[in-house]
Amino acid sequence: MTAAIEVPRGLKDVVVTTTALGDVRGTEGFYHYRQYSAIELARTRTFEDVWFLFVEGHLPSPAERADFAAEVAPLRALPDQLRAVLPAIATSTTPLFGLRTALSMLPSAPMWDAPMAQRRADALRVCAVTPTILAALHRIRSGAQPLEPRDDLSAAANWLYMVTGTEAPADVVRAVEQYLISTIDHGFNASTFTARVVASSGADVVSAITAAIGTFSGPLHGGAPDRALESLDLIGSPEHVDAWVRARILGGDRIMGFGHAVYRTEDPRARMLRDIAVTLGGPLVDFAMTVERRVVELLEELKPGRSLHVNVEYWAGVTLELCGIPRTMFTPTFACSRVIGWSANVLEQSIDTKIIRPIARYSGPHAPMPVPQAL
């Protein structure tokens, strides 16, 4: 029998597979999608271009871009049977949990014996319809009618339109688009690992994505942009920053929006989103800059050597707030992009026929013990 291999808690720094989709280099403060800097892609390309990159492995030509847009646009529409149940889902749970329920109604073939063309088609449909489901759930919960996706709008513009009911200005659309691009994928994070575990069993694309959503919903993963912004609300004004931050640090409380499991430098996504927020401007940005500076300074003073920096959630919250997205839809906005990364990982994992099956070390009472007689 092969000896068990001990690994660190949380599988920290354990390599479990290989991928061609991208990587995070935490000590450098850098991450990439395939062979390109993710931040450079966010600064220079469209969301649809990067989606195509994840699906096809290269950036599109103009003709490929047009063909891809024509392929995914009709997939945004909700099937009639799904549309009919959205009111019941919307009134019983949050949009992110509602997405998990709604997606489970989409037909999807087990990947074990489905051709790659079918797996790809299922993945594209899940990615295309996710924003439509989330926006519809939000509007129903708000007492408004869901809006149909528009073929004449980009993915980012469509998202803003379906959530708010109005067409957003170009600078707001571009800000949201850059945020979406920067959050499509980020290494072998917990939700991506979950999706790949499910895919390794030969299950269908939808099952893998709904499992990833469950992991993503945790506040230690995708559920933090609104929580980071709540810290600014609690501080209230610049003169209260030091007292609030000191109390949290000395009390051993986590300050949402600071620190990252991988980066030992400033999160490159936070740096880009800070630049975007500054461009949009306003008192919230000035206040957020002040708080960030003092948190970093006080962390260094009170926890020397920890080297904690602002992360993506902090400036994502500020940017999405400036763009008019309701706070309850911050994490769902994140999900609209991350579903593309999950799907790409699911398709890549589906090529491998080996199921992911680790073991656990038993720590309960000694076994075997005699079974007591029933009374």
Side-chain angles (χ1 to χ4, degrees):
M1 180 177 179
T2 303
I5 301 171
E6 296 285 351
V7 299
R9 288 178 64 212
L11 303 181
K12 182 175 175 58
D13 296 328
V14 174
V15 176
V16 297
T17 192
T18 59
T19 181
L21 297 174
D23 193 22
V24 179
R25 306 210 294 256
T27 57
E28 301 173 37
F30 175 80
Y31 73 113
H32 56 98
Y33 299 158
R34 297 196 185 271
Q35 65 268 46
Y36 303 108
S37 160
I39 296 300
E40 185 178 352
L41 286 168
R43 294 189 185 280
T44 62
R45 303 300 291 246
T46 67
F47 182 75
E48 287 78 4
D49 282 352
V50 183
W51 185 1
F52 182 95
L53 172 67
F54 271 88
V55 174
E56 303 297 346
H58 64 274
L59 288 169
S61 67
E64 288 173 324
R65 180 185 299 114
D67 289 345
F68 187 68
E71 180 181 10
V72 300
L75 302 179
R76 294 170 175 167
L78 296 177
D80 290 340
Q81 70 273 19
L82 178 53
R83 190 192 311 272
V85 301
L86 286 184
I89 296 174
T91 56
S92 62
T93 188
T94 64
L96 191 61
F97 293 152
L99 172 66
R100 184 182 59 194
T101 302
L103 280 180
S104 67
M105 298 186 65
L106 290 180
S108 182
M111 291 181 283
W112 177 254
D113 50 8
M116 182 54 74
Q118 181 62 57
R119 303 178 212 174
R120 179 186 181 277
D122 289 346
L124 286 183
R125 189 179 197 191
V126 168
C127 294
V129 80
T130 287
T132 310
I133 293 171
L134 286 168
L137 291 171
H138 165 70
R139 289 185 65 82
I140 293 169
R141 284 170 60 87
S142 303
Q145 286 295 315
L147 296 172
E148 295 297 321
R150 288 172 44 180
D151 291 351
D152 62 316
L153 296 178
S154 68
N158 233 323
W159 172 243
L160 284 160
Y161 167 71
M162 290 190 297
V163 169
T164 67
T166 60
E167 289 189 50
D171 60 339
V172 170
V173 171
R174 182 56 181 156
V176 170
E177 180 171 56
Q178 289 180 289
Y179 167 76
L180 291 173
I181 294 171
S182 71
T183 52
I184 285 176
D185 192 55
H186 200 249
F188 225 68
N189 55 80
S191 57
T192 296
F193 182 49
T194 299
R196 292 188 74 130
V197 169
V198 176
S200 78
S201 73
D204 61 289
V205 171
V206 167
S207 292
I209 299 303
T210 54
I213 292 168
T215 304
F216 184 73
S217 66
L220 296 184
H221 192 5
D226 54 326
R227 293 172 183 243
L229 201 58
E230 286 170 5
S231 296
L232 299 181
D233 294 339
L234 291 171
I235 295 170
S237 57
E239 63 269 20
H240 298 143
V241 174
D242 283 28
W244 188 90
V245 174
R246 284 183 184 276
R248 294 302 179 281
I249 295 174
L250 295 176
D253 297 328
R254 180 176 180 179
I255 301 177
M256 301 301 287
F258 290 83
H260 195 274
V262 177
Y263 290 118
R264 296 299 173 261
T265 64
E266 185 177 57
D267 189 327
R269 300 167 299 176
R271 187 183 310 120
M272 184 192 75
L273 290 169
R274 185 197 297 115
D275 292 343
I276 293 171
V278 168
T279 299
L280 295 172
L284 175 61
V285 179
D286 297 335
F287 183 43
M289 295 278 284
T290 298
V291 172
E292 178 191 356
R293 176 177 56 81
R294 288 303 294 151
V295 168
V296 171
E297 291 172 350
L298 289 168
L299 282 169
E300 181 58 33
E301 174 190 331
L302 300 172
K303 301 286 185 180
R306 291 286 299 278
S307 188
L308 293 176
H309 300 274
V310 70
N311 61 37
V312 65
E313 283 85 7
Y314 186 87
W315 284 105
V318 173
T319 300
L320 296 177
E321 180 98 337
L322 294 172
C323 291
I325 293 177
R327 293 189 187 185
T328 55
M329 296 302 287
F330 283 6
T331 302
T333 302
F334 194 169
C336 288
S337 60
R338 186 52 62 86
V339 67
I340 291 174
W342 291 331
S343 295
N345 273 277
V346 164
L347 294 182
E348 186 178 61
Q349 184 65 45
S350 73
I351 300 171
D352 190 344
T353 58
K354 182 70 172 178
I355 190 171
I356 298 173
R357 199 339 186 152
I359 62 173
R361 180 176 296 283
Y362 176 72
S363 63
H366 177 72
M369 293 180 66
V371 179
Q373 295 295 318
L375 298 178

